[in-house]
Amino acid sequence: AVQYASDRWVFEYSHGFSLKLNRQPFALTQAERDEALTINVPWTTGAGVGLRFLGTWHVLLEVKAHRYDIRHPSGQTASYTTYSVGPGIFYTVYLWKRLFIQPNVRWWPNVGSSLTGNRQTFVRADGTSFDHAVHDFGLFANVNLGWTF
């Protein structure tokens, strides 16, 4: 993350990459686990604006885009992008000069996606189908590493 922080305002850009959601099963929905989908997020990016309070705490409203690569056990694949808008609360710990680490809690609900109807249908080996609803990060804890200007 890169952020500009004044006495009151915080402006941030953050970028994540190469996230493999299967490494943290709690990051998948029950339906995604039951269907044994492999879900990778090659990138997630966006910006936020918010207010500082109590010195090292701030809240942001973030606008994000997340790219997903999905693999079904049948070998079928799908790729799509979701878009989210949501709040986050951050606590900043400065490690050295302006280098920081920020534990945070975010809520990134989807507001749209590149898939028509926000769904992808996969056909199982037995001929039945599975409707995958686009992945939604929802509420989660995270840690940013970044620099303040």
Side-chain angles (χ1 to χ4, degrees):
V2 176
Q3 71 179 20
Y4 169 79
S6 70
D7 288 339
R8 201 77 176 128
W9 292 94
V10 177
F11 300 90
E12 180 182 278
Y13 167 77
S14 64
H15 186 85
F17 58 92
S18 193
L19 306 174
K20 299 183 183 327
L21 298 188
N22 296 77
R23 290 183 181 169
Q24 297 86 24
F26 60 85
L28 302 177
T29 67
Q30 188 62 51
E32 291 165 345
R33 285 192 299 273
D34 289 349
E35 196 66 21
L37 296 179
T38 300
I39 301 181
N40 294 320
V41 182
W43 55 263
T44 178
T45 193
V49 61
L51 294 172
R52 287 172 49 137
F53 63 97
L54 298 177
T56 55
W57 289 90
H58 68 273
V59 293
L60 292 178
L61 180 63
E62 298 179 286
V63 176
K64 298 286 186 173
H66 322 280
R67 183 66 175 181
Y68 292 92
D69 293 332
I70 313 295
R71 176 172 291 280
H72 189 269
S74 67
Q76 299 165 82
T77 61
S79 294
Y80 58 85
T81 303
T82 63
Y83 310 98
S84 62
V85 177
I89 185 165
F90 302 76
Y91 179 75
T92 304
V93 177
Y94 286 98
L95 302 173
W96 176 74
K97 296 192 179 192
R98 295 174 184 244
L99 178 67
F100 65 78
I101 189 167
Q102 283 177 336
N104 58 74
V105 176
R106 292 167 152 157
W107 182 45
W108 286 348
N110 287 343
V111 296
S113 83
S114 62
L115 283 179
T116 302
N118 296 320
R119 302 184 102 45
Q120 174 68 43
T121 301
F122 293 103
V123 178
R124 298 179 180 117
D126 66 3
T128 61
S129 63
F130 168 72
D131 246 3
H132 166 66
V134 295
H135 190 82
D136 190 329
F137 273 111
L139 182 67
F140 66 100
N142 194 8
V143 177
N144 284 355
L145 175 65
W147 191 265
T148 299
F149 292 93

